Amino acid sequence: MIEHFRDFLAFYSNLQIVKHVTFLILPLLIVTSIFNFRIKNWKILLIPMITVIIAAVLSSIFYIFYETFNIETNSTSYIYLFFFPILIAYLTMGYIFNIYSSESSKKESKTNQRKTEIRKFTTMLTFIIIIFFLTQYILLPYSLFLPILIGSTITLVASWITTLLFIKIS
Amino acid sequence: MKFFELVKKIFRFLFTALFTSALIASVLISIPYTEKYYKGTRYDLTLKNELWTKEYVLLLAVKNKDIPEKDKKTEETKDIIYRRLVKYGVRDIEIEEIESQKKDEARLKIKVKSDLDPKDVDTLVTERYYLRFVIAKEDVNFEDENNPYSQFQIENYISTPYTRHDFRTVYLTKLKSTSGEYAYFAIFKPWENKLNEFYQYFDKLAGKRGGISSDNLVTPIYFPTTLQQGSNSMITRQPFAIGMTVDDSQANILDILYNSGTVPLNYIEESVTEISVINEDINYLRILLGLSGFTLITSIYTYFARNRNNIIENLIPIIATLTIWISILKLLAIPMSLDTIYITSSLFLFLSLLLTYIEKFKKYALFSSTLILFSNYILLGGYVKEISLLLLILLISLAVIQNIVSWYIKLVRNSIS
């Protein structure tokens, strides 16, 4: 039993992805525990966590897919495939905390205002990502079309899920 | 009172004039082809060495006793070589195992792409660096002029039971040597449970000739005296420190080799193939035009969708941060590859434009993005680490420049009115 467990651990520790996931979870825990003092609504704290986890899981799946099928991987494709979606997920998380940390958080009108804010933010994010994707696609001389497309899509999916969750919960 | 007001006004005027000139100068220096039109000084980017690619095939020898654990040990070897290359900062690393018919051998194909010193990368890939302390044989004449290499030959030494496995870490640091010059010393820190045994063994050898063998080549050393008697007859123990090198880059390589894990299998380099690299032609002018286009479209959108009044106030700090960074790279001739500059600039523009939307970087958004960049810098290696650090510096600079610019704009508005 112990042998099996050790083999299992050895297998997963050899995958670099474990290291990548660690770098996601640690700051996530730090950020949420710091903000927890200010925002006393655990549901709201949960949303950004879900965003980051969705982005991380999707990125990891695509990264493993890349590694397994030996599609040409390099640091630049890693940046677009993994680093970029996570960075944006964290920024979205910061934005949600921004909206929620305002003083009069209990008023009904404030809730609607927040919903509008987050909808506007996601629309803006979608627009910037599309423009960013197009600029990168036109500018980059090498074949980074796929990682940029996947990275941008992951970012969009994660941010839209966050928005929907936020609207539903709050 | 009036005098102070006047002095204040003069200083404000001087500040606005200086800041405006610095801003214009940084924009002019950072844009491409300045040197074509300005003959006084050259403002070229100092680019890093060109990228090279090599493919190594390593033949791993599996001893009979290791055959049941062949896969695990091969995987461990793969991992250690990967760790070494990431620590050194190699950009792209691909390691795959080639299927081998024989039970007692395994093969690894390692493909690297880098702009770093190829010799160092060769050392990190092809040398197993299995470390073992050895003691000089008493009957060997190391001063023999006919055989000046006797001190490096393994047959002139007796093995000790101490290998890298017995040490928690090998700490490389600069210390003053007996000649008064500074050199890198390796401080061997044994595991706590082996501490007494280790010191008992080496205390008897203090001052005697010995060596550290790695891959059958010995680096000669004199075993250090670790026990020291103080003036109050107190006996203290000094660290087990051995002088290694005076060269910084060599010390870095040694540090990586000592502290990335012990390769469990013996191996040799079967082949090395240099692969020609097509250095992607990234056009500086095209990048500038593209990124300017991206900034412009996004800013126009932000202007209509959000903060109509602050478009200039938001754009100036972003442009200033980016142009000051590129000007510093140009003026101080800091070597950097063009695609690093490009990717960092693109991500920075993306992040800063989004942060601008969150009106003057509200603390949470800035905090969470800097935290992820910082943890990325700490945990990951190589190229991504470099980009994270650059982005982190640029974001922090942007936060500072944002404050300076809002003060500057206020001053300009006052001067005009």
Side-chain angles (χ1 to χ4, degrees):
Chain A
M1 183 69 190
I2 294 168
E3 269 304 305
H4 278 298
F5 184 65
R6 207 179 288 158
D7 279 354
F8 174 80
L9 280 184
F11 174 73
Y12 280 100
S13 64
N14 280 332
L15 284 175
Q16 285 299 313
I17 209 78
V18 169
K19 209 172 173 186
H20 303 150
V21 173
T22 319
F23 102 83
L24 295 169
I25 303 300
L26 275 177
L28 192 67
L29 290 175
I30 298 170
V31 173
T32 39
S33 47
I34 289 173
F35 292 150
N36 192 27
F37 293 110
R38 191 95 196 247
I39 308 157
K40 280 158 188 130
N41 186 340
W42 64 270
K43 278 182 187 172
I44 298 301
L45 278 170
L46 216 67
I47 299 169
M49 279 182 134
I50 293 168
T51 318
V52 175
I53 289 163
I54 289 169
V57 169
L58 287 176
S59 298
S60 308
I61 290 169
F62 278 105
Y63 198 72
I64 292 169
F65 171 79
Y66 253 65
E67 293 256 292
T68 319
F69 292 97
N70 268 330
I71 300 171
E72 195 192 344
T73 46
N74 57 30
S75 305
T76 322
S77 58
Y78 171 83
I79 287 171
Y80 285 111
L81 207 67
F82 202 85
F83 179 59
F84 177 65
I86 305 300
L87 196 64
I88 304 306
Y90 264 85
L91 200 96
T92 316
M93 176 167 133
Y95 186 70
I96 289 178
F97 287 144
N98 256 354
I99 298 175
Y100 228 81
S101 64
S102 57
E103 292 299 313
S104 50
S105 57
K106 280 168 197 164
K107 284 180 189 170
E108 191 60 36
S109 60
K110 270 278 166 192
T111 315
N112 288 333
Q113 202 182 319
R114 277 185 200 131
K115 283 181 187 172
T116 325
E117 282 277 313
I118 190 76
R119 245 187 243 123
K120 269 187 181 177
F121 177 76
T122 321
T123 319
M124 165 82 179
L125 188 69
T126 314
F127 178 80
I128 297 186
I129 286 171
I130 292 168
I131 298 293
F132 184 71
F133 166 70
L134 288 174
T135 335
Q136 299 286 310
Y137 177 57
I138 296 162
L139 282 178
L140 279 178
Y142 35 81
S143 53
L144 275 172
F145 175 73
L146 209 57
I148 296 176
L149 180 69
I150 296 170
S152 307
T153 316
I154 291 170
T155 318
L156 284 179
V157 168
S159 67
W160 275 104
I161 290 176
T162 317
T163 313
L164 294 175
L165 277 173
F166 186 87
I167 291 169
K168 199 140 205 183
I169 289 177
S170 67
Chain B
M1 203 62 187
K2 270 187 178 179
F3 175 72
F4 282 115
E5 276 298 310
L6 186 71
V7 173
K8 225 176 175 182
K9 267 187 182 173
I10 290 171
F11 271 107
R12 277 180 186 166
F13 181 75
L14 273 177
F15 170 77
T16 38
L18 275 173
F19 192 79
T20 316
S21 343
L23 207 65
I24 293 168
S26 74
V27 171
L28 286 175
I29 293 170
S30 62
I31 56 173
Y33 305 124
T34 317
E35 62 281 357
K36 264 193 179 176
Y37 305 101
Y38 182 68
K39 305 286 176 198
T41 325
R42 291 191 68 82
Y43 295 114
D44 294 342
L45 270 172
T46 310
L47 297 178
K48 268 192 173 179
N49 301 334
E50 290 214 329
L51 288 169
W52 53 266
T53 299
K54 265 187 193 178
E55 196 178 271
Y56 302 85
V57 177
L58 303 180
L59 178 65
L60 280 63
V62 185
K63 286 178 188 166
N64 284 336
K65 68 175 172 74
D66 291 333
I67 288 175
E69 286 188 316
K70 181 184 162 185
D71 289 345
K72 197 180 162 192
K73 297 213 167 183
T74 310
E75 198 62 38
E76 223 176 292
T77 309
K78 207 166 131 181
D79 226 32
I80 292 167
I81 295 173
Y82 184 87
R83 212 175 299 145
R84 285 179 179 180
L85 294 171
V86 166
K87 273 188 185 174
Y88 186 58
V90 172
R91 186 189 280 203
D92 292 330
I93 311 152
E94 278 173 44
I95 307 181
E96 64 174 293
E97 195 184 338
I98 307 171
E99 289 257 333
S100 180
Q101 299 299 321
K102 290 181 184 173
K103 277 183 181 176
D104 60 347
E105 65 174 39
R107 272 188 183 78
L108 288 181
K109 191 168 92 178
I110 301 161
K111 195 176 165 188
V112 290
K113 187 179 185 184
S114 178
D115 52 9
L116 300 166
D117 190 348
K119 275 184 194 163
D120 288 344
V121 178
D122 281 350
T123 311
L124 296 172
V125 175
T126 59
E127 287 189 23
R128 183 185 176 204
Y129 227 79
Y130 190 83
L131 189 147
R132 184 185 285 280
F133 277 99
V134 288
I135 310 166
K137 283 179 181 170
E138 282 182 3
D139 54 340
V140 177
N141 178 15
F142 287 99
E143 313 301 326
D144 185 6
E145 281 179 11
N146 296 324
N147 185 10
Y149 299 110
S150 58
Q151 56 177 332
F152 306 112
Q153 291 162 340
I154 188 75
E155 54 271 21
N156 296 330
Y157 293 87
I158 309 161
S159 295
T160 70
Y162 288 96
T163 63
R164 175 65 181 85
H165 293 289
D166 300 293
F167 303 98
R168 187 164 43 89
T169 184
V170 181
Y171 178 59
L172 257 97
T173 184
K174 237 175 186 177
L175 295 170
K176 217 172 195 176
S177 64
T178 42
S179 60
E181 285 172 2
Y182 278 92
Y184 281 96
F185 279 77
I187 300 175
F188 290 83
K189 296 185 172 177
W191 289 104
E192 292 303 311
N193 59 339
K194 292 177 180 171
L195 204 70
N196 284 336
E197 212 179 302
F198 173 78
Y199 280 118
Q200 268 173 19
Y201 190 91
F202 282 100
D203 277 349
K204 287 182 283 184
L205 299 167
K208 284 192 179 167
R209 189 190 277 270
I212 302 169
S213 85
S214 56
D215 306 342
N216 290 336
L217 190 78
V218 179
T219 309
I221 56 161
Y222 284 97
F223 291 112
T225 314
T226 56
L227 280 176
Q228 207 176 44
Q229 196 162 4
S231 53
N232 51 359
S233 67
M234 277 280 284
I235 293 171
T236 49
R237 194 175 281 285
Q238 298 297 310
F240 192 85
I242 290 163
M244 302 304 291
T245 177
V246 285
D247 184 46
D248 292 342
S249 63
Q250 208 185 337
N252 180 35
I253 294 292
L254 281 173
D255 193 12
I256 295 170
L257 288 168
Y258 282 149
N259 295 309
S260 302
T262 310
V263 179
L265 297 172
N266 219 336
Y267 67 82
I268 53 159
E269 161 202 319
E270 200 174 55
S271 68
V272 185
T273 325
E274 279 189 42
I275 301 167
S276 61
V277 182
I278 306 156
N279 275 291
E280 290 98 355
D281 176 36
I282 298 182
N283 189 322
Y284 192 3
L285 188 67
R286 215 167 70 174
I287 290 174
L288 183 84
L289 290 174
L291 292 182
S292 309
F294 169 67
T295 315
L296 201 72
I297 296 169
T298 319
S299 305
I300 291 170
Y301 178 83
T302 324
Y303 177 74
F304 286 110
R306 186 93 180 171
N307 38 10
R308 288 177 183 240
N309 301 322
N310 299 328
I311 192 159
I312 300 292
E313 208 172 313
N314 289 333
L315 270 184
I316 290 177
I318 298 173
I319 293 166
T321 313
L322 214 53
T323 53
I324 288 170
W325 172 53
I326 294 173
S327 303
I328 290 172
L329 287 182
K330 283 185 167 186
L331 294 174
L332 301 179
I334 299 168
M336 197 164 282
S337 65
L338 208 52
D339 51 351
T340 308
I341 299 174
Y342 166 68
I343 289 170
T344 313
S345 315
S346 318
L347 289 177
F348 169 72
L349 276 175
F350 187 95
L351 277 178
S352 55
L353 285 165
L354 261 182
L355 283 167
T356 304
Y357 182 80
I358 310 170
E359 279 160 17
K360 291 185 185 174
F361 335 127
K362 287 278 167 55
K363 51 190 174 189
Y364 295 137
L366 188 65
F367 178 71
S368 44
S369 47
T370 45
L371 194 74
I372 189 77
L373 285 170
F374 185 68
S375 65
N376 210 347
Y377 171 71
I378 300 281
L379 284 165
L380 303 181
Y383 190 51
V384 188
K385 190 181 178 121
E386 191 185 346
I387 302 247
S388 303
L389 181 67
L390 286 171
L391 271 175
L392 195 65
I393 295 169
L394 285 177
L395 273 186
I396 294 167
S397 315
L398 182 62
V400 177
I401 291 173
Q402 172 89 41
N403 286 324
I404 300 173
V405 166
S406 52
W407 189 48
Y408 163 77
I409 287 175
K410 221 182 270 172
L411 284 182
V412 172
R413 275 186 189 143
N414 283 345
S415 315
I416 293 167
S417 63

